Each structure stands twice: as structure tokens, then as C-alpha cells.
Amino acid sequence: MRALLCEHHGPAEALVIRDIPEPQPGPGEIVIAVKAAALNFFDTLIIENRYQTKPALPFSPSAECAGTVAAIGEGVAGWQIGERVAAWLGYGAAREKVVVAAQAAVKISDALEDAQAAGLFVTYGTAMHGLIQRASLKSGETLAILGAAGGAGLAAVEIGALLGARVIACASSADKLALAHEHGAQDEIDYTAQDIRAGLRRLTEGRGVDVLYDTVGGDLAEPAVRSMAWEGRYLVVGFAGGSIPRIPLNLLLLKGCDLRGVFWGDFVQREPAAQRRNMERLLGWAAGGQIRAHVHAQIPLERWVEAYSLIGDRKAKGKVVLTL
């Protein structure tokens, strides 16, 4: 079978496609014939050895996939060959077949395309964990999202709106803000055209933001912290802006606000029951059309460099998915 492999750390251009043996399921496992493997921003980091997860070489990128059940291991109940399935792996999904623990897989509705289902875990799972478990977002609160048109940001826009928040989308162009508006944002700030602190103060009439979902970091972080409301919750989700900011801690004291990390990958391992409840709720929303799981591009596996460029150059509006 074909697999996209990272044989040595470096840019996406250094990845290769190889033929490798097909996997066999062990006890408690299933094999998925992969139709779609989704990429995330951290996929640009993991192949360069700049991410907290450091797989042994060689490995396949892509943390999440969708397809059909191709084989079932000993002791597995509740699955049938050919059933549609999606799963979170952490890494390793960019290959034609993968082995996963049966308990890590979820059945997907025929109302969802493979590309949509593959992209639900990381972005929507992170947004669910961040907004529900970490921020305890309440209906009527103000939620601002930095990087609101990327895969992670759009997920937070949709879920925040479903939870009843007033959503302020913050992004780097008018077309990205228009996309966020289509997905439920009520207000928008183009942070390349106006000062984000001034914009958030204006939109909240000086009160500040209750919850801020930051997928960007970089130079936007400190002015965003300065825009928090009393007892606000600033969620650290990622650093698509490239640099990890250094926040003056006196701002947390003066604002009476919290700085909270959102590490969804660890949450999955530490609280699997809560994670499954989140995913079941998400899949119900997706099947009912309440979230759209927007896919920016579906790109064949052999054009992986193009897919990585969309993410690395911050051109993606929604998910980028490799198809097999």
C-alpha cells in the first residue's frame, strides 16, 4: 500500500511516498481503508521536529482520517466490514490503510462526506474542549477568535454560536471575515487594517472580551490580553503566527483574567469519556447540518506539497484534506 512518509525531519518537500506492507489488526483493533486524511497546522511542525509530539522515524503525518472498516481484530464487537468510520490517531493517517484501537473510532453518518468527517476531530474537538471544558462558555458571553477563518478558528466560530455566544471573528482579510460571518460570527475585525485592541474595545463598548480563542499567538497576543474583560478566559490554542508570545503577567493581575492552555491531544488521553461525549455531540450537530465542517480543499495524496503550502502560507479557509 502507499504511504506518505517522513524519513528525515525537514520541510514538506522532503516527504516521500513509499510502498509498505499492509497492516494487520491486533486484539481490540480495526483496520481502516483511508479515503480522507486531514491536515492541521501542527502537521507543518511535526515533520520538522518542532512539535511536542515526536514520532520515531519514519512516520506518516496526518492525525485524523475517515474511510471504511477493512479488517477487524480479535475481541472487537460492534463493527462490520465496510462500515464508514472516522478516527483520531495523533499521527500516521496519510497512508492507504491504518490500524486503530476500536474504541478510538466513531461511526459516521451518510450525511457527512469523508473529507468533512476526517476534519472533525482536531479542530472541532479542540474547540469543544476549549470552549466547554476550559472556558465554560456561557450563552450571552462575548467570544473573540483570532485566526477565525482557519480550520481551528471556523470550528470555534460555529460552536461558539451554537452555544449562544456573541462571536467576534478576527482574521487577516475581508474574504476570510466573510467566511467566518457565513459560519455564525456576528462581528468582525480585520487585524491587518485596524488595531485589534481598539477594535475589541469598540465592539464590547469598553467592557472587554469574556473568552478569547487564540490560534495565532505572535504579535496579536499581548493586545488581545489587554482587551480581556474582568474574569475573562484567554485560551491558548496554537501559534499559527509563527512565534510564541511572552505575556506580561501583570496584565492578568490588572484584568483579573485567566490564561488557560487548551491541549486537546492530552485531554483525549486523560479524559476519554468526556472526549467521546464531545465527539458524539459534534457528530450529531454535523449530521443535522448545525455545523458545516468547511473543507477548503481536497488534494490527492501525491500533491501533498500543495496541501502543506496552503496551511503554511495561511491561505486555508477551513480544512485541508488529502484524498486517497
Side-chain angles (χ1 to χ4, degrees), residues 51-121:
Y51 192 60
Q52 55 260 36
T53 301
K54 299 184 183 296
L57 297 169
F59 68 91
S60 293
S62 177
E64 50 192 341
C65 67
T68 57
V69 177
I72 299 173
E74 181 184 348
V76 173
W79 288 101
Q80 295 181 4
I81 301 295
E83 277 191 298
R84 298 184 68 220
V85 59
W88 153 260
L89 287 73
Y91 61 88
R95 52 180 64 192
E96 290 182 325
K97 289 184 178 179
V98 295
V99 173
V100 301
Q103 64 181 8
V106 293
K107 297 180 182 182
I108 55 179
S109 164
D110 288 339
L112 277 181
E113 296 179 0
D114 288 323
Q116 291 177 305
L120 279 176
F121 284 85

Side-chain angles (χ1 to χ4, degrees), residues 290-309:
Q290 293 168 282
I291 58 175
R292 288 193 283 169
H294 181 74
V295 176
H296 176 88
Q298 299 184 51
I299 298 174
L301 183 69
E302 57 269 19
R303 289 164 45 198
W304 76 86
V305 175
E306 179 183 340
Y308 268 85
S309 294

Side-chain angles (χ1 to χ4, degrees), residues 1-278:
M1 69 173 191
R2 293 184 306 153
L4 181 64
L5 295 179
C6 177
E7 296 181 332
H8 60 271
H9 296 119
E13 291 81 357
L15 299 176
V16 294
I17 292 180
R18 303 288 192 204
D19 282 322
I20 63 173
E22 291 193 9
Q24 299 299 318
E29 296 177 335
I30 62 174
V31 173
I32 298 174
V34 177
K35 305 297 184 185
L39 295 178
N40 296 276
F41 177 73
F42 65 76
D43 282 296
T44 68
L45 304 178
I46 196 169
I47 61 174
E48 296 184 357
N49 202 31
R50 296 193 295 123
Y51 192 60
Q52 55 260 36
T53 301
K54 299 184 183 296
L57 297 169
F59 68 91
S60 293
S62 177
E64 50 192 341
C65 67
T68 57
V69 177
I72 299 173
E74 181 184 348
V76 173
W79 288 101
Q80 295 181 4
I81 301 295
E83 277 191 298
R84 298 184 68 220
V85 59
W88 153 260
L89 287 73
Y91 61 88
R95 52 180 64 192
E96 290 182 325
K97 289 184 178 179
V98 295
V99 173
V100 301
Q103 64 181 8
V106 293
K107 297 180 182 182
I108 55 179
S109 164
D110 288 339
L112 277 181
E113 296 179 0
D114 288 323
Q116 291 177 305
L120 279 176
F121 284 85
V122 177
T123 53
Y124 285 90
T126 299
M128 285 285 281
H129 172 50
L131 298 178
I132 294 175
Q133 278 87 23
R134 301 298 291 141
S136 300
L137 180 68
K138 303 175 185 65
S139 180
E141 288 192 312
T142 300
L143 166 66
I145 300 164
L146 304 188
L154 275 180
V157 168
E158 289 189 318
I159 291 172
L162 277 172
L163 294 175
R166 175 195 175 192
V167 179
I168 302 173
C170 307
S172 59
S173 68
D175 62 324
K176 289 181 177 180
L177 291 172
L179 180 64
H181 182 78
E182 291 173 11
H183 284 253
Q186 292 136 295
D187 294 289
E188 298 89 33
I189 295 174
D190 181 342
Y191 44 65
T192 64
Q194 62 177 303
D195 178 76
I196 190 166
R197 184 184 180 194
L200 289 173
R201 287 183 60 83
R202 174 178 55 82
L203 290 174
T204 61
E205 298 180 340
R207 180 182 172 276
V209 174
D210 295 305
V211 176
L212 194 138
Y213 191 89
D214 182 6
T215 72
V216 179
D219 294 338
L220 295 175
E222 184 173 328
V225 173
R226 293 180 183 274
S227 306
M228 298 303 295
W230 181 257
E231 295 188 343
R233 290 86 76 200
Y234 189 110
L235 302 181
V236 181
V237 182
F239 309 104
S243 61
I244 298 177
R246 298 178 182 273
I247 302 299
L249 291 181
N250 66 306
L251 295 178
L252 306 185
L253 184 153
L254 295 172
K255 292 287 182 179
C257 67
D258 295 346
L259 197 63
R260 301 183 183 181
V262 181
F263 189 2
W264 177 77
D266 222 35
F267 165 71
V268 171
Q269 301 300 320
R270 293 174 182 269
E271 301 183 49
Q275 156 63 9
R276 180 165 285 275
R277 286 195 298 272
N278 281 358

